[in-house]
Amino acid sequence: MRKLKYKDLLSISDLSEEELTYLLEISKLFKGRYYAGERVINVLGGKSVAMIFQKPSTRTRVSFEVAIHQLGGYALYLNWNDLQLGRGETIADTARVLSRYVDGVVARVLKHSDLVELASHSSIPVINALSDLEHPCQTLADLLTIWEKKGRLEGVKITFIGDGGDNVLNSLLLASAKLGIDISIATPVGYEPKEVILKMAESDARKHGSTIEVIREPEVAVRGADVIYTDVWVSMGQEAERARRIADLSKYKVTVDLIKLAKEDVIFMHCLPAKRGEEVVDDVIDGKWSVVWDQAENRLHTQKAVLALLL
Ligand code: CP
Ligand code: NVA
């Protein structure tokens, strides 16, 4: 297996197009071997991974912990506030100490800049397990799922409905642009993707001749869509803005009527957790279009690839 170019995985922009494709191929390999009954593949050889969480998690925590175990490593779940970090020890000092004990860090943080600081003072790989800016590990599972369901990635059209500044969307947008996936984002005024993310994505999309569109009308955005994707309207850390966000995003709900305007064989995706009744109705997330459970499962397989190639 080839190692990745950078020490860390903080952003999809840390990966080249080839590395992104390679990660998906290795994920498929791990998934195949898992289904063939090979539960433990000892690529970590007893290496230890610290998993620091500043916010709650179900999928990321469990899939990483199980992935590390199934790769022959040892995972330590560390709540941010239970570490001395919670009492004010600096991120830099924490990074220096952890680098002496473990072989890698998986971290979910409120501020992306804290992750960058953690990585810059660590001599070991740091993996983004979600920040306010990005969720690259989620994107890898999303891409593997699309690849499995559609048989290809290039030329697929993803429509994202909801908050254009969403962390999950940022990573999906950057990755789509690298792989020639068309992406259409329906979002209200004031919720457009960050200029810096859009610029990076547009530059990659130009190389493939793929398109990125940011529009207002969900009904227009879903035309010709192979994939409809959404995420919560209120992300972790945005609770104080809840009332305003719900009001602004209320027209950006994925309903059965909306999904029927897309391609006949469209699939519905959501990183989860979902706020049922807000960004998506039960009839969609539980309906024939939904691939959300396969998508959640794929976190396990793609994270194995990340761990194997970084550690
Ligand atoms: N999709 C995802 O990252 O879920 P958790 O917040 O449960 O980890
Ligand atoms: N945008 C959501 C994703 C959760 C996996 C959040 O940050 O809360």
Side-chain angles (χ1 to χ4, degrees):
M1 279 190 276
R2 300 192 300 271
K3 286 201 64 166
L4 301 177
K5 182 164 148 227
Y6 292 117
K7 172 176 82 70
D8 311 300
L9 177 57
L10 305 187
S11 162
I12 288 291
S13 62
D14 292 340
L15 301 169
S16 67
E17 179 186 331
E18 293 69 34
E19 286 176 326
L20 199 46
T21 309
Y22 186 54
L23 274 164
L24 297 177
E25 283 164 0
I26 298 294
S27 305
K28 219 170 192 180
L29 201 95
F30 277 122
K31 186 170 182 176
R33 288 178 65 173
Y34 178 80
Y35 273 93
E38 225 178 324
R39 271 299 157 95
V40 177
I41 304 173
N42 190 11
V43 297
L44 291 183
K47 286 185 175 170
S48 301
V49 182
M51 308 196 339
I52 304 177
F53 281 76
Q54 203 179 13
K55 303 193 245 193
S57 170
T58 298
R59 281 141 288 267
T60 308
R61 176 186 172 177
V62 177
S63 58
F64 258 116
E65 208 164 314
V66 172
I68 292 162
H69 167 71
Q70 292 181 347
L71 292 182
Y74 177 71
L76 298 92
Y77 173 77
L78 305 165
N79 186 295
W80 182 283
N81 288 318
D82 292 340
L83 293 168
Q84 296 287 10
L85 273 169
R87 291 182 55 247
E89 184 169 16
T90 69
I91 291 172
D93 289 352
T94 305
R96 291 178 187 113
V97 172
L98 288 178
S99 298
R100 300 289 179 107
Y101 294 141
V102 298
D103 303 285
V105 175
V106 168
R108 170 167 287 195
V109 297
L110 285 163
K111 290 197 318 226
H112 189 80
S113 55
D114 285 348
L115 199 62
V116 173
E117 190 173 352
L118 185 71
S120 72
H121 292 94
S122 299
S123 58
I124 52 175
V126 175
I127 299 167
N128 182 355
L130 181 145
S131 69
D132 55 344
L133 189 65
E134 276 202 55
H135 198 1
C137 294
Q138 178 67 51
T139 295
L140 294 173
D142 298 344
L143 294 172
L144 179 62
T145 310
I146 298 170
W147 188 20
E148 289 173 342
K149 303 290 175 192
K150 298 289 165 190
R152 69 199 162 102
L153 288 170
E154 190 156 15
V156 162
K157 176 180 173 178
I158 301 178
T159 296
F160 182 93
I161 308 284
D163 174 10
D166 184 74
N167 45 4
V168 169
L169 172 61
N170 285 341
S171 293
L172 187 65
L173 178 54
L174 291 172
S176 297
K178 280 185 194 290
L179 298 177
I181 296 172
D182 294 325
I183 188 156
S184 178
I185 299 161
T187 197
V189 176
Y191 288 79
E192 298 80 8
K194 269 191 174 37
E195 200 59 31
V196 46
I197 300 276
L198 213 47
K199 284 255 151 62
M200 261 194 285
E202 279 166 353
S203 141
D204 278 334
R206 264 194 297 278
K207 292 179 205 152
H208 286 277
S210 56
T211 59
I212 298 172
E213 123 185 299
V214 181
I215 60 172
R216 303 292 164 223
E217 309 83 4
E219 298 77 13
V220 178
V222 297
R223 274 186 214 148
D226 299 290
V227 178
I228 294 182
Y229 201 116
T230 191
D231 188 11
V232 289
W233 293 340
V234 185
S235 282
M236 291 179 276
Q238 296 176 333
E239 291 78 7
E241 303 164 22
R242 182 166 175 83
R244 175 174 62 78
R245 292 183 149 268
I246 303 274
D248 292 347
L249 287 151
S250 63
K251 290 202 189 77
Y252 294 82
K253 189 191 291 284
V254 183
T255 61
V256 172
D257 283 346
L258 184 68
I259 215 163
K260 282 187 174 158
L261 299 174
K263 276 192 183 163
E264 186 72 32
D265 62 350
V266 67
I267 55 173
F268 171 75
M269 299 181 74
H270 193 309
C271 57
L272 305 177
K275 191 86 175 148
R276 287 168 175 260
E278 285 188 9
E279 75 276 5
V280 60
V281 298
D282 286 343
D283 287 347
V284 169
I285 197 167
D286 298 328
K288 62 176 181 182
W289 311 275
S290 179
V291 299
V292 299
W293 316 120
D294 294 330
Q295 183 185 358
E297 178 193 322
N298 279 338
R299 298 290 307 274
L300 176 67
H301 310 299
T302 46
Q303 274 147 209
K304 284 183 183 170
V306 172
L307 290 161
L309 300 193
L310 275 182
L311 264 67

